[in-house]
Amino acid sequence: MRALARAIDGLELPAVEKISESQEQDPFQVLIATLLSARTQDATTLAASTRLFRVARTPRAMAKLTVRRIQGLIYPVSFYRHKARHVKATCGILVERFRGRVPTTMEELLVLPGVGRKTANLVLIVAFKSQRNICVDTHVHRISNRLGWVRTRTPDETELSLYQTTAERWWPFINLYLVTWGQRVCRPVYPRCLECVLSPLCPRLGVTQVGRAPNPGDR
Ligand code: SF4
């Protein structure tokens, strides 16, 4: 993790972290951006979130938008029809049940439509600065298994295993470091092991073919 911390220094932040920084960690915007980010490129998430927040910045304002309007604003994020319904329903629940605020516990976050453990953990870490959560997405799941930190089949299994196999002080950083690394170096196919700072430590479990070295401009 120390090697990764040095390696990602100066690299572009993932979309949710970027939105969080620009919006002073507004939990509502972190929640909505995370909902939009599933299976979507960072640049698309960022652009869609920006368009949506320009029109409605609070749960109350966003709950008043029609699903069709939300669809138009967030397109072309993947599953935009589905996500628009979740955004509207989530905003309604935030207004009616949580007085327009994003709840601060895993249990409460999981009642929101479209919010699973990944989204809830990211909101708790990024918006509420939790030190006790690990957010596992596809990058964290893949890289943790390649590194041999865990041997798991699903992201939820990976999350639970990582609590056992990693030092607590790193929990809030695992997502940021591994997502940033997974987007550039430890990619799903053809990971760039030849250029990876973790190469001397990594057993590369499950890796069958490695990719070319990155262009100087990629870093
Ligand atoms: S050495 Fe290869 S498999 Fe291991 S973390 Fe680096 S890029 Fe991923």
Side-chain angles (χ1 to χ4, degrees):
M1 288 295 283
R2 275 195 293 273
L4 270 182
R6 284 192 295 273
I8 68 161
D9 189 30
L11 294 180
E12 201 175 343
L13 290 172
V16 172
E17 272 84 359
K18 209 183 272 180
I19 289 164
S20 171
E21 274 200 348
S22 66
Q23 300 304 327
E24 296 172 348
Q25 283 98 35
D26 176 351
F28 175 63
Q29 297 200 17
V30 171
L31 170 64
I32 298 299
T34 309
L35 277 176
L36 299 185
S37 70
R39 295 183 183 228
T40 300
Q41 297 276 342
D42 264 15
T44 309
T45 301
L46 198 54
S49 304
T50 305
R51 283 193 299 276
L52 185 58
F53 298 144
R54 213 176 276 143
V55 173
R57 301 181 64 84
T58 64
R60 214 168 288 280
M62 209 172 281
K64 287 180 184 157
L65 301 178
T66 63
V67 170
R68 186 175 282 269
R69 176 90 165 110
I70 297 171
Q71 281 178 11
L73 289 165
I74 66 175
Y75 179 85
V77 299
S78 53
F79 309 111
Y80 67 96
R81 290 194 183 92
H82 211 60
K83 288 177 181 174
R85 282 199 296 278
H86 282 160
V87 165
K88 172 135 177 116
T90 286
C91 290
I93 294 172
L94 291 180
V95 172
E96 287 162 22
R97 191 161 159 187
F98 298 106
R99 292 186 297 173
R101 301 219 167 147
V102 176
T104 57
T105 67
M106 170 68 71
E107 200 179 27
E108 290 171 316
L109 284 165
L110 289 178
V111 307
L112 301 171
V115 174
R117 291 193 65 86
K118 184 192 83 167
T119 300
N121 276 317
L122 197 58
V123 170
L124 293 171
I125 293 166
V126 174
F128 296 119
K129 301 292 166 223
S130 168
Q131 304 290 310
R132 304 277 308 148
N133 294 79
I134 302 174
C135 173
V136 176
D137 72 346
T138 177
H139 294 292
V140 176
H141 175 59
R142 179 181 70 254
I143 300 173
S144 298
N145 274 279
R146 285 176 174 174
L147 285 164
W149 290 356
V150 299
R151 289 197 180 197
T152 52
R153 285 170 304 170
T154 67
D156 282 357
E157 280 178 24
T158 299
E159 183 198 340
L160 297 179
S161 290
L162 284 173
Y163 290 124
Q164 310 299 321
T165 59
T166 56
E168 193 174 333
R169 69 179 182 282
W170 293 113
W171 291 356
F173 305 103
I174 286 176
N175 184 270
L176 174 62
Y177 291 8
L178 297 195
V179 170
T180 307
W181 209 236
Q183 289 172 339
R184 289 166 182 79
V185 181
C186 193
R187 302 176 305 185
V189 291
Y190 300 117
R192 293 169 163 171
C193 302
L194 302 176
E195 291 293 316
C196 180
V197 293
L198 302 180
S199 204
L201 308 164
C202 180
R204 304 182 196 180
L205 298 179
V207 175
T208 51
Q209 281 186 297
V210 303
R212 64 172 177 80
N215 298 320
D218 291 346
R219 289 190 164 193

